[in-house]
Amino acid sequence: MSIYAIAKELGEAIAEDPRMIRMKAAKEAYESSAEIAILLTEYGIQREALTSIGDEGGEINTDAITRIQDRLDEIYDKITTNPLFIELDEAQTAVNELMANVNNIIQYNATGESPCTHDCSTCGGGCSH
């Protein structure tokens, strides 16, 4: 069996892993949320407004900058405390850990060198030390 065939099988197995399925579902829910879309749109508009203040030349209105920055902070907080964002973030973290563990196992088996730090929190025990 070729390396590419094995990689294809590995990719298919990862796609079926509950962590990947969870992440895909969380991403779809996040991206289809009207509330999140509105917040992201406003965030982008506020960032543009903040950038344009510096481009106007002349005296900079620090009150306007403060108001816009406060609103940006508010929007950011609403996004990052939204349950859909939290679920996506947690699911993405789980997938990142899965991929790191898989990569560690591949590296070890390909090179004989363990990426292990002997701190299982860094690899989830995937390095088999």
PDB file of all heavy atoms in Angstrom, residues 66-85:
ATOM      1  N   THR A  66     -12.309  56.298  21.537  1.00  0.00           N
ATOM      2  CA  THR A  66     -12.684  55.590  22.766  1.00  0.00           C
ATOM      3  C   THR A  66     -14.048  54.940  22.617  1.00  0.00           C
ATOM      4  O   THR A  66     -14.233  53.774  23.008  1.00  0.00           O
ATOM      5  CB  THR A  66     -12.676  56.556  23.969  1.00  0.00           C
ATOM      6  OG1 THR A  66     -11.364  57.086  24.113  1.00  0.00           O
ATOM      7  CG2 THR A  66     -13.090  55.856  25.252  1.00  0.00           C
ATOM      8  N   ARG A  67     -15.024  55.661  22.046  1.00  0.00           N
ATOM      9  CA  ARG A  67     -16.374  55.100  21.862  1.00  0.00           C
ATOM     10  C   ARG A  67     -16.336  53.886  20.928  1.00  0.00           C
ATOM     11  O   ARG A  67     -16.964  52.863  21.210  1.00  0.00           O
ATOM     12  CB  ARG A  67     -17.331  56.152  21.317  1.00  0.00           C
ATOM     13  CG  ARG A  67     -17.813  57.142  22.361  1.00  0.00           C
ATOM     14  CD  ARG A  67     -19.008  57.967  21.875  1.00  0.00           C
ATOM     15  NE  ARG A  67     -18.793  58.627  20.601  1.00  0.00           N
ATOM     16  CZ  ARG A  67     -18.148  59.789  20.420  1.00  0.00           C
ATOM     17  NH1 ARG A  67     -17.665  60.429  21.465  1.00  0.00           N
ATOM     18  NH2 ARG A  67     -18.013  60.316  19.218  1.00  0.00           N
ATOM     19  N   ILE A  68     -15.599  54.027  19.838  1.00  0.00           N
ATOM     20  CA  ILE A  68     -15.520  52.912  18.893  1.00  0.00           C
ATOM     21  C   ILE A  68     -14.806  51.719  19.529  1.00  0.00           C
ATOM     22  O   ILE A  68     -15.254  50.579  19.401  1.00  0.00           O
ATOM     23  CB  ILE A  68     -14.822  53.342  17.587  1.00  0.00           C
ATOM     24  CG1 ILE A  68     -15.697  54.358  16.846  1.00  0.00           C
ATOM     25  CG2 ILE A  68     -14.525  52.137  16.700  1.00  0.00           C
ATOM     26  CD1 ILE A  68     -15.000  55.040  15.674  1.00  0.00           C
ATOM     27  N   GLN A  69     -13.708  51.969  20.222  1.00  0.00           N
ATOM     28  CA  GLN A  69     -12.978  50.874  20.863  1.00  0.00           C
ATOM     29  C   GLN A  69     -13.834  50.194  21.927  1.00  0.00           C
ATOM     30  O   GLN A  69     -13.833  48.963  22.035  1.00  0.00           O
ATOM     31  CB  GLN A  69     -11.666  51.372  21.483  1.00  0.00           C
ATOM     32  CG  GLN A  69     -10.780  50.263  21.994  1.00  0.00           C
ATOM     33  CD  GLN A  69     -10.378  49.278  20.905  1.00  0.00           C
ATOM     34  OE1 GLN A  69      -9.801  49.657  19.900  1.00  0.00           O
ATOM     35  NE2 GLN A  69     -10.697  48.002  21.110  1.00  0.00           N
ATOM     36  N   ASP A  70     -14.592  50.971  22.677  1.00  0.00           N
ATOM     37  CA  ASP A  70     -15.497  50.390  23.675  1.00  0.00           C
ATOM     38  C   ASP A  70     -16.535  49.492  23.006  1.00  0.00           C
ATOM     39  O   ASP A  70     -16.857  48.415  23.500  1.00  0.00           O
ATOM     40  CB  ASP A  70     -16.186  51.481  24.496  1.00  0.00           C
ATOM     41  CG  ASP A  70     -15.252  52.171  25.473  1.00  0.00           C
ATOM     42  OD1 ASP A  70     -14.121  51.680  25.689  1.00  0.00           O
ATOM     43  OD2 ASP A  70     -15.652  53.241  26.010  1.00  0.00           O
ATOM     44  N   ARG A  71     -17.067  49.970  21.859  1.00  0.00           N
ATOM     45  CA  ARG A  71     -18.063  49.180  21.137  1.00  0.00           C
ATOM     46  C   ARG A  71     -17.420  47.910  20.566  1.00  0.00           C
ATOM     47  O   ARG A  71     -18.026  46.841  20.605  1.00  0.00           O
ATOM     48  CB  ARG A  71     -18.713  50.005  20.027  1.00  0.00           C
ATOM     49  CG  ARG A  71     -19.804  49.277  19.282  1.00  0.00           C
ATOM     50  CD  ARG A  71     -20.969  48.877  20.188  1.00  0.00           C
ATOM     51  NE  ARG A  71     -21.925  48.094  19.439  1.00  0.00           N
ATOM     52  CZ  ARG A  71     -22.634  47.102  19.941  1.00  0.00           C
ATOM     53  NH1 ARG A  71     -22.554  46.814  21.228  1.00  0.00           N
ATOM     54  NH2 ARG A  71     -23.456  46.421  19.187  1.00  0.00           N
ATOM     55  N   LEU A  72     -16.205  48.028  20.064  1.00  0.00           N
ATOM     56  CA  LEU A  72     -15.495  46.842  19.577  1.00  0.00           C
ATOM     57  C   LEU A  72     -15.315  45.822  20.696  1.00  0.00           C
ATOM     58  O   LEU A  72     -15.529  44.616  20.485  1.00  0.00           O
ATOM     59  CB  LEU A  72     -14.130  47.230  18.993  1.00  0.00           C
ATOM     60  CG  LEU A  72     -14.134  47.816  17.591  1.00  0.00           C
ATOM     61  CD1 LEU A  72     -12.783  48.427  17.269  1.00  0.00           C
ATOM     62  CD2 LEU A  72     -14.512  46.758  16.564  1.00  0.00           C
ATOM     63  N   ASP A  73     -14.930  46.302  21.862  1.00  0.00           N
ATOM     64  CA  ASP A  73     -14.763  45.410  23.013  1.00  0.00           C
ATOM     65  C   ASP A  73     -16.078  44.730  23.381  1.00  0.00           C
ATOM     66  O   ASP A  73     -16.101  43.535  23.705  1.00  0.00           O
ATOM     67  CB  ASP A  73     -14.205  46.172  24.213  1.00  0.00           C
ATOM     68  CG  ASP A  73     -12.785  46.662  24.007  1.00  0.00           C
ATOM     69  OD1 ASP A  73     -12.090  46.179  23.085  1.00  0.00           O
ATOM     70  OD2 ASP A  73     -12.366  47.554  24.788  1.00  0.00           O
ATOM     71  N   GLU A  74     -17.168  45.487  23.321  1.00  0.00           N
ATOM     72  CA  GLU A  74     -18.504  44.946  23.615  1.00  0.00           C
ATOM     73  C   GLU A  74     -18.874  43.840  22.633  1.00  0.00           C
ATOM     74  O   GLU A  74     -19.350  42.774  23.028  1.00  0.00           O
ATOM     75  CB  GLU A  74     -19.539  46.073  23.459  1.00  0.00           C
ATOM     76  CG  GLU A  74     -20.299  46.443  24.687  1.00  0.00           C
ATOM     77  CD  GLU A  74     -21.259  47.594  24.357  1.00  0.00           C
ATOM     78  OE1 GLU A  74     -22.337  47.327  23.776  1.00  0.00           O
ATOM     79  OE2 GLU A  74     -20.924  48.735  24.673  1.00  0.00           O
ATOM     80  N   ILE A  75     -18.677  44.133  21.352  1.00  0.00           N
ATOM     81  CA  ILE A  75     -19.021  43.159  20.317  1.00  0.00           C
ATOM     82  C   ILE A  75     -18.157  41.908  20.466  1.00  0.00           C
ATOM     83  O   ILE A  75     -18.659  40.778  20.399  1.00  0.00           O
ATOM     84  CB  ILE A  75     -18.853  43.773  18.913  1.00  0.00           C
ATOM     85  CG1 ILE A  75     -19.820  44.940  18.719  1.00  0.00           C
ATOM     86  CG2 ILE A  75     -19.077  42.718  17.835  1.00  0.00           C
ATOM     87  CD1 ILE A  75     -19.507  45.804  17.507  1.00  0.00           C
ATOM     88  N   TYR A  76     -16.867  42.114  20.674  1.00  0.00           N
ATOM     89  CA  TYR A  76     -15.945  40.989  20.845  1.00  0.00           C
ATOM     90  C   TYR A  76     -16.395  40.112  22.012  1.00  0.00           C
ATOM     91  O   TYR A  76     -16.416  38.872  21.908  1.00  0.00           O
ATOM     92  CB  TYR A  76     -14.528  41.514  21.078  1.00  0.00           C
ATOM     93  CG  TYR A  76     -13.509  40.425  21.278  1.00  0.00           C
ATOM     94  CD1 TYR A  76     -12.957  39.763  20.188  1.00  0.00           C
ATOM     95  CD2 TYR A  76     -13.096  40.057  22.562  1.00  0.00           C
ATOM     96  CE1 TYR A  76     -12.021  38.754  20.369  1.00  0.00           C
ATOM     97  CE2 TYR A  76     -12.158  39.045  22.740  1.00  0.00           C
ATOM     98  CZ  TYR A  76     -11.627  38.403  21.655  1.00  0.00           C
ATOM     99  OH  TYR A  76     -10.703  37.401  21.844  1.00  0.00           O
ATOM    100  N   ASP A  77     -16.781  40.745  23.112  1.00  0.00           N
ATOM    101  CA  ASP A  77     -17.248  40.003  24.279  1.00  0.00           C
ATOM    102  C   ASP A  77     -18.522  39.217  23.954  1.00  0.00           C
ATOM    103  O   ASP A  77     -18.660  38.065  24.357  1.00  0.00           O
ATOM    104  CB  ASP A  77     -17.481  40.956  25.453  1.00  0.00           C
ATOM    105  CG  ASP A  77     -17.782  40.218  26.738  1.00  0.00           C
ATOM    106  OD1 ASP A  77     -16.994  39.316  27.100  1.00  0.00           O
ATOM    107  OD2 ASP A  77     -18.808  40.529  27.383  1.00  0.00           O
ATOM    108  N   LYS A  78     -19.438  39.830  23.204  1.00  0.00           N
ATOM    109  CA  LYS A  78     -20.675  39.127  22.832  1.00  0.00           C
ATOM    110  C   LYS A  78     -20.382  37.924  21.953  1.00  0.00           C
ATOM    111  O   LYS A  78     -21.029  36.882  22.083  1.00  0.00           O
ATOM    112  CB  LYS A  78     -21.634  40.081  22.109  1.00  0.00           C
ATOM    113  CG  LYS A  78     -22.326  41.048  23.023  1.00  0.00           C
ATOM    114  CD  LYS A  78     -23.302  41.922  22.249  1.00  0.00           C
ATOM    115  CE  LYS A  78     -23.991  42.907  23.178  1.00  0.00           C
ATOM    116  NZ  LYS A  78     -24.964  43.754  22.457  1.00  0.00           N
ATOM    117  N   ILE A  79     -19.421  38.077  21.058  1.00  0.00           N
ATOM    118  CA  ILE A  79     -19.072  36.961  20.179  1.00  0.00           C
ATOM    119  C   ILE A  79     -18.417  35.846  20.975  1.00  0.00           C
ATOM    120  O   ILE A  79     -18.809  34.680  20.876  1.00  0.00           O
ATOM    121  CB  ILE A  79     -18.151  37.427  19.035  1.00  0.00           C
ATOM    122  CG1 ILE A  79     -18.910  38.362  18.072  1.00  0.00           C
ATOM    123  CG2 ILE A  79     -17.572  36.230  18.273  1.00  0.00           C
ATOM    124  CD1 ILE A  79     -18.018  39.068  17.063  1.00  0.00           C
ATOM    125  N   THR A  80     -17.423  36.192  21.768  1.00  0.00           N
ATOM    126  CA  THR A  80     -16.626  35.153  22.454  1.00  0.00           C
ATOM    127  C   THR A  80     -17.342  34.506  23.635  1.00  0.00           C
ATOM    128  O   THR A  80     -16.883  33.474  24.124  1.00  0.00           O
ATOM    129  CB  THR A  80     -15.262  35.706  22.904  1.00  0.00           C
ATOM    130  OG1 THR A  80     -15.471  36.812  23.783  1.00  0.00           O
ATOM    131  CG2 THR A  80     -14.421  36.122  21.710  1.00  0.00           C
ATOM    132  N   THR A  81     -18.428  35.100  24.091  1.00  0.00           N
ATOM    133  CA  THR A  81     -19.209  34.471  25.159  1.00  0.00           C
ATOM    134  C   THR A  81     -20.464  33.783  24.617  1.00  0.00           C
ATOM    135  O   THR A  81     -21.204  33.165  25.379  1.00  0.00           O
ATOM    136  CB  THR A  81     -19.611  35.495  26.246  1.00  0.00           C
ATOM    137  OG1 THR A  81     -20.398  36.533  25.652  1.00  0.00           O
ATOM    138  CG2 THR A  81     -18.386  36.070  26.927  1.00  0.00           C
ATOM    139  N   ASN A  82     -20.661  33.873  23.312  1.00  0.00           N
ATOM    140  CA  ASN A  82     -21.795  33.208  22.684  1.00  0.00           C
ATOM    141  C   ASN A  82     -21.570  31.692  22.755  1.00  0.00           C
ATOM    142  O   ASN A  82     -20.485  31.210  22.433  1.00  0.00           O
ATOM    143  CB  ASN A  82     -21.922  33.666  21.225  1.00  0.00           C
ATOM    144  CG  ASN A  82     -23.139  33.087  20.550  1.00  0.00           C
ATOM    145  OD1 ASN A  82     -23.218  31.888  20.318  1.00  0.00           O
ATOM    146  ND2 ASN A  82     -24.079  33.944  20.221  1.00  0.00           N
ATOM    147  N   PRO A  83     -22.583  30.935  23.152  1.00  0.00           N
ATOM    148  CA  PRO A  83     -22.427  29.475  23.254  1.00  0.00           C
ATOM    149  C   PRO A  83     -21.962  28.815  21.951  1.00  0.00           C
ATOM    150  O   PRO A  83     -21.231  27.828  21.996  1.00  0.00           O
ATOM    151  CB  PRO A  83     -23.826  28.986  23.648  1.00  0.00           C
ATOM    152  CG  PRO A  83     -24.462  30.159  24.302  1.00  0.00           C
ATOM    153  CD  PRO A  83     -23.905  31.372  23.624  1.00  0.00           C
ATOM    154  N   LEU A  84     -22.353  29.363  20.812  1.00  0.00           N
ATOM    155  CA  LEU A  84     -21.915  28.795  19.535  1.00  0.00           C
ATOM    156  C   LEU A  84     -20.413  28.980  19.330  1.00  0.00           C
ATOM    157  O   LEU A  84     -19.720  28.085  18.848  1.00  0.00           O
ATOM    158  CB  LEU A  84     -22.681  29.421  18.370  1.00  0.00           C
ATOM    159  CG  LEU A  84     -24.182  29.133  18.328  1.00  0.00           C
ATOM    160  CD1 LEU A  84     -24.853  29.939  17.224  1.00  0.00           C
ATOM    161  CD2 LEU A  84     -24.442  27.643  18.166  1.00  0.00           C
ATOM    162  N   PHE A  85     -19.903  30.145  19.716  1.00  0.00           N
ATOM    163  CA  PHE A  85     -18.466  30.393  19.621  1.00  0.00           C
ATOM    164  C   PHE A  85     -17.707  29.494  20.590  1.00  0.00           C
ATOM    165  O   PHE A  85     -16.680  28.906  20.232  1.00  0.00           O
ATOM    166  CB  PHE A  85     -18.141  31.864  19.917  1.00  0.00           C
ATOM    167  CG  PHE A  85     -16.665  32.142  19.913  1.00  0.00           C
ATOM    168  CD1 PHE A  85     -16.016  32.475  18.740  1.00  0.00           C
ATOM    169  CD2 PHE A  85     -15.922  32.060  21.089  1.00  0.00           C
ATOM    170  CE1 PHE A  85     -14.648  32.716  18.736  1.00  0.00           C
ATOM    171  CE2 PHE A  85     -14.558  32.299  21.091  1.00  0.00           C
ATOM    172  CZ  PHE A  85     -13.913  32.635  19.913  1.00  0.00           C
TER     173      PHE A  85
END
